[in-house]
Every structure is written in structure tokens, then in C-alpha cells.
Amino acid sequence: MRVLVIHGPNLNLLGERQPEVYGRQTLAELNDFIATSARDLGVDVACVQFNSEGAIIDAIHGARSAYDAIVINPGAYSHYSYAIADAIASIGLPVVEAHLSNIAGREEHRRTSVTAAACAGSVSGFGARSYVLALRAVAQIQEK
Ligand code: DQA
């Protein structure tokens, strides 16, 4: 099974960006952790990061021909991007949303995810492990 992991805006700054919220792990370290965990699950992963909405939408469209599922952290776009939500709803692949922080327990504007509503489900609040739990979820969806 091939899974595309898409990191959204500002996640390139992990490690230096609000470490009290997002921890001290860099994006490269997070991607290593995801790759190691994926190997244990027997899943092939590729990780990409984009700051712009259009690039994320292009990556979602492009995954149709090369991947079986997507794990996505749309960052702040989660809270208002109907365009990313539409892209997720437009492809036939299972998509699971992951967030490092527990968005349900944060500021009011972060508590709604319009993109998660278009996904099979979402995992939030477990730091790097949110991505691994999301990978497990897509692997199990595919088993059905
Ligand atoms: C985030 C939560 C978002 O609200 C925020 O804008 C991010 C990171 C998370 O992983 O916890 O960029 O998606």
C-alpha cells in the first residue's frame, strides 16, 4: 500500500515554530519517524510539504494515479479551505486528517475542520503519533 503524507503551511518550520504547542521535532525528524513507523506497518510512504493551497490541491489530485490513500495535515487551511475539502471529496482515495495539537481544545477558530468533514476521519492531539494513527487508519480502511 502506498500512502502520500501531505503537510500543509508552516509545518516546514516545525522545531522552531511555537515549540510549546508543536514540540521541538523538525519536519525532517517527523518525516523519519513517519517513514520508520510506516515500514513497521508494511506501508510505503512519501512525505511532502506545501505552504500554498493550490500546491496542496495539485498534490491531492496527483495522488490519484500513484497512491492508495492520503494522510493530510492541512494546517490552518483545515479551518476554512473549502477548496481543499472539495479536492479531498473529488478523489476516490481514502483520506485521513492528522493534527499534532488537539484542535478541539484550542482557540475557537481552530475547533472546526472543514477539511476533516470531507475525510474518512481525523486524528488530533497526539503529536507525531497522530500521523502514525492516521496511517494505521488508512491501512485498515484498505483491508475492508
Ligand atoms: C495544526 C493545527 C492548526 O490549527 C494550525 O494552524 C497548524 C497545525 C496541527 O497540526 O496541530 O498549522 O494543523
Side-chain angles (χ1 to χ4, degrees):
M1 182 185 190
R2 299 153 305 168
V3 179
L4 180 64
V5 175
I6 303 175
H7 303 285
N10 301 306
L11 294 168
N12 53 311
L13 296 184
L14 281 178
E16 58 180 281
R17 171 194 183 199
Q18 294 180 279
E20 68 288 1
V21 179
Y22 300 115
R24 298 218 171 261
Q25 197 172 40
T26 64
L27 182 60
E29 290 164 350
L30 172 60
N31 285 340
D32 282 348
F33 175 70
I34 292 169
T36 303
S37 307
R39 225 172 290 130
D40 294 343
L41 292 170
V43 170
D44 281 340
V45 281
C47 298
V48 292
Q49 187 274 332
F50 301 106
N51 287 320
S52 73
E53 191 177 24
I56 292 171
I57 292 167
D58 288 341
I60 293 168
H61 293 175
R64 278 153 46 240
S65 54
Y67 295 93
D68 303 303
I70 295 175
V71 168
I72 186 166
N73 181 350
Y77 289 133
S78 311
H79 313 304
Y80 65 91
S81 176
Y82 295 107
I84 292 176
D86 281 352
I88 292 168
S90 299
I91 58 165
L93 303 182
V95 182
V96 173
E97 185 161 301
H99 293 281
L100 295 158
S101 65
N102 179 11
I103 58 171
R106 297 187 61 194
E107 306 97 302
E108 190 67 42
H109 70 275
R110 295 187 203 277
R111 292 187 191 159
T112 299
S113 172
V114 300
T115 50
C119 292
S122 62
V123 184
S124 168
F126 301 102
R129 288 192 180 80
S130 292
Y131 288 86
V132 178
L133 293 169
L135 275 182
R136 278 183 187 278
V138 287
Q140 288 182 7
I141 290 167
Q142 288 296 96
E143 274 169 20
K144 277 201 284 191

